[in-house]
Amino acid sequence: MRIGCDVTHTGLELSIDDRRFRVNFPRDVWQAFANKQDFADNFAYLKTLHLPQMLNRHEPMEFDTAYPLFRHQIQSAMLNNISFCADVDGVSTAENIKRFLALDLRFHNHATRAPDGGKALSERAVLNMSFGKDSLLTYAVAKELGLDPILIMSVDNDGPREYAYKRELAQRFCREFNETLHVVENNTGVIHRYEYWGTPFTEWGFGHLITEYCMYALPFAFAHGAKYVLLGNEKSCDDSYVNRDGFKSYPVYDQSSEWLLELTNIARGLTASPMTVMSLIEPLHDLAITHILHTRYPEVAKYQMSCFPDENDYGRDAHWCGHCTKCARNFVFMQANGVDPRRVGLNTDMFQSECLDYFALLRGAKKGIPTVGYDATPCGRDEQLFALLLAHEHGAHGPVLDVFKSDFLQEAEQRRGELQQRFFTVQPARTIPAPLLDR
């Protein structure tokens, strides 16, 4: 397998054997960036390291690049993703780790490039907007802190409906708040999807995405002299569980505070500048994020979209499909906080019987299905348990809540104090610098 990554006038051209993929930044932003080739070396490695296992290919990976400065950090992040993916895929964790560590990696130039040309930075921030609750709350808090966020969005080619809806949301959002949204045009999104390669289903291939989005922010931060790169990673991203093979597993290791600290090192290394990668909402769980967003910043909250509408036919007509686990999670979080989901365009009543299977807690109880991944973590299970209790107490009703009351109400009521303390208390934060944390 031969991997190349060329620098162009507006970004990068990544090659995988005879296939070509491009990432395009605004020309002025990319031209102002000092370390394009160093960026390309690390980007090529990050985007392709999963491919030998996904494609079941055993030949060496031949990189037409220099040895990436952050090879071992990127490898570590991917390694920490294996146990979760193996659990979801129902395959051996140990065998997948052995195969990953046995990869034969070869580089055209084994001398690592050393970035230079750093610059002084100001108290500004770059924020990658997804228009989910996390990025919206991050935007609102950053504005309140006076960080004057520069908004960017990566428009990938693996979700055409999603990005069509987001373009319309972004236009209205920018008009209302007098913002500019800078777009990264990116057709590399399909590289991490098994469907594109025609291989059987696998969870493997998504463990690099947050690092990728962070890297997209770096040319903007450098061009604008911004000190901070903001990610919307909440407290539950630190949660882990022991998988069926006995390995510690992080459903979203690349969103954990541990990895964010490494992303700061990567940002500083690739820009030769004193940047910090952080999450302003790191101390909060999803229930609290929903509450703060919709009560303190309702004018921002109305733009929320937290669905992948390309994944079923219900997404053809609405940006909330109303028939997926993402919609179910956000529906119950809003109901738990007394927020009408219709306010953000989620018009399906997801407490009806046809939506029962979208609630992992209830699906397992009804069908005896063991939960894996995030739903198996103490946080994943318990936050849904508590959200259903709060929705019930707010007067919500329907067949979904009938099952909850029958099977889980007693447990939820007995644990109410513990769950309230866990999910509505500000938790410690590792990635927010002390001066900002004090504010």
Side-chain angles (χ1 to χ4, degrees):
M1 184 183 301
R2 182 167 292 278
I3 310 297
C5 197
D6 296 326
V7 174
T8 71
H9 292 301
T10 56
L12 303 173
E13 182 175 87
L14 176 68
S15 60
I16 302 171
D17 292 332
D18 60 349
R19 304 184 192 223
R20 299 289 184 270
F21 308 88
R22 295 183 68 91
V23 178
N24 291 316
F25 297 85
R27 181 182 287 265
D28 58 332
V29 168
W30 184 244
Q31 289 300 317
F33 189 48
N35 295 297
K36 301 178 185 66
Q37 193 59 60
D38 314 272
F39 187 98
D41 296 341
N42 288 271
F43 182 80
Y45 183 68
L46 174 74
K47 287 290 290 185
T48 60
L49 192 57
H50 69 286
L51 286 176
Q53 283 170 272
M54 176 180 278
L55 304 183
N56 197 28
R57 290 175 62 171
H58 298 272
E59 74 267 30
M61 293 187 77
E62 302 270 2
F63 288 88
D64 295 332
T65 67
Y67 190 98
L69 179 61
F70 294 103
R71 175 190 166 180
H72 293 295
Q73 287 88 338
I74 293 169
Q75 182 187 47
S76 175
M78 298 292 284
L79 185 63
N80 274 288
N81 190 232
I82 289 177
S83 56
F84 167 68
C85 295
D87 206 26
V88 174
D89 291 354
V91 297
S92 167
T93 305
E95 289 303 315
N96 275 271
I97 290 174
K98 287 179 185 177
R99 184 171 174 190
F100 181 72
L101 293 178
L103 289 176
D104 185 358
L105 307 175
R106 304 175 184 181
F107 298 91
H108 175 70
N109 179 1
H110 283 271
T112 299
R113 304 180 204 274
D116 56 13
K119 62 193 295 187
L121 305 174
S122 63
E123 291 286 309
R124 293 198 70 186
V126 176
L127 170 61
N128 198 320
M129 291 290 291
S130 70
F131 291 92
K133 64 185 187 313
D134 300 333
S135 67
L136 288 173
L137 182 57
T138 300
Y139 167 79
V141 173
K143 292 289 284 188
E144 198 166 301
L145 289 172
L147 296 181
D148 191 17
I150 301 148
L151 307 184
I152 70 171
M153 183 168 69
S154 171
V155 177
D156 298 350
N157 63 337
D158 60 337
R161 285 185 202 156
E162 177 184 353
Y163 291 105
Y165 288 133
K166 285 184 177 180
R167 280 192 183 95
E168 191 272 331
L169 282 175
Q171 289 171 359
R172 291 194 286 115
F173 180 91
C174 290
R175 281 197 301 267
E176 178 168 352
F177 297 106
N178 193 29
E179 297 285 2
T180 298
L181 184 68
H182 305 275
V183 172
V184 179
E185 295 287 350
N186 169 27
N187 79 343
T188 71
V190 294
I191 294 173
H192 62 259
R193 289 198 167 271
Y194 68 92
E195 304 98 326
Y196 171 75
W197 299 101
T199 64
F201 167 84
T202 179
E203 184 71 19
W204 179 243
F206 293 89
H208 70 280
L209 290 181
I210 298 303
T211 306
E212 179 182 346
Y213 296 149
C214 176
M215 288 185 70
Y216 292 154
L218 299 184
F220 292 92
F222 191 87
H224 292 274
K227 188 176 184 179
Y228 305 112
V229 173
L230 303 181
L231 299 175
N233 301 349
E234 71 276 7
K235 180 52 66 176
S236 65
C237 296
D238 284 340
D239 217 36
S240 63
Y241 69 104
V242 177
N243 78 357
R244 69 186 81 198
D245 292 331
F247 287 81
K248 184 177 183 180
S249 301
Y250 290 89
V252 284
Y253 179 77
D254 69 332
Q255 297 183 51
S256 68
S257 59
E258 178 176 285
W259 183 243
L260 257 65
L261 296 175
E262 290 292 347
L263 286 180
T264 287
N265 294 331
I266 291 174
R268 291 176 178 180
L270 291 180
T271 63
S273 303
M275 291 183 187
T276 295
V277 180
M278 64 174 174
S279 172
L280 292 174
I281 62 171
E282 180 196 340
L284 302 172
H285 282 289
D286 281 331
L287 274 168
I289 289 169
T290 302
H291 177 79
I292 295 168
L293 176 63
H294 285 272
T295 57
R296 187 181 180 103
Y297 309 105
E299 71 286 354
V300 175
K302 66 178 181 283
Y303 290 99
Q304 182 181 348
M305 174 187 171
S306 302
C307 174
F308 300 128
D310 294 271
E311 298 193 354
N312 61 53
D313 288 340
Y314 296 100
R316 289 178 177 174
D317 302 317
H319 63 283
W320 292 88
C321 76
H323 289 79
C324 70
T325 56
K326 286 276 286 183
C327 284
R329 278 174 54 79
N330 283 278
F331 182 88
V332 72
F333 288 158
M334 284 185 260
Q335 292 276 14
N337 283 289
V339 176
D340 186 348
R342 291 174 296 185
R343 187 172 183 275
V344 299
L346 179 45
N347 298 319
T348 303
D349 181 358
M350 299 202 70
F351 286 154
Q352 295 305 307
S353 57
E354 62 267 22
C355 295
L356 183 64
D357 284 355
Y358 302 131
F359 295 88
L361 177 73
L362 309 182
R363 180 179 67 244
K366 186 183 80 167
K367 297 183 177 179
I369 302 171
T371 54
V372 297
Y374 178 73
D375 292 327
T377 68
C379 179
R381 179 193 184 277
D382 288 354
E383 194 164 25
Q384 191 167 109
L385 175 76
F386 191 41
L388 286 163
L389 173 65
L390 295 179
H392 164 65
E393 292 178 349
H394 273 98
H397 55 84
V400 165
L401 285 171
D402 291 341
V403 175
F404 164 75
K405 288 185 286 184
S406 171
D407 295 348
F408 294 99
L409 180 58
Q410 183 177 359
E411 177 193 353
E413 289 180 334
Q414 288 174 345
R415 299 178 60 195
R416 195 186 201 291
E418 166 213 336
L419 297 172
Q420 178 77 30
Q421 175 73 15
R422 190 197 311 182
F423 295 118
F424 281 101
T425 298
V426 176
Q427 305 291 327
R430 297 203 289 176
T431 68
I432 305 175
L436 283 179
L437 199 57
D438 292 340
R439 285 156 62 184

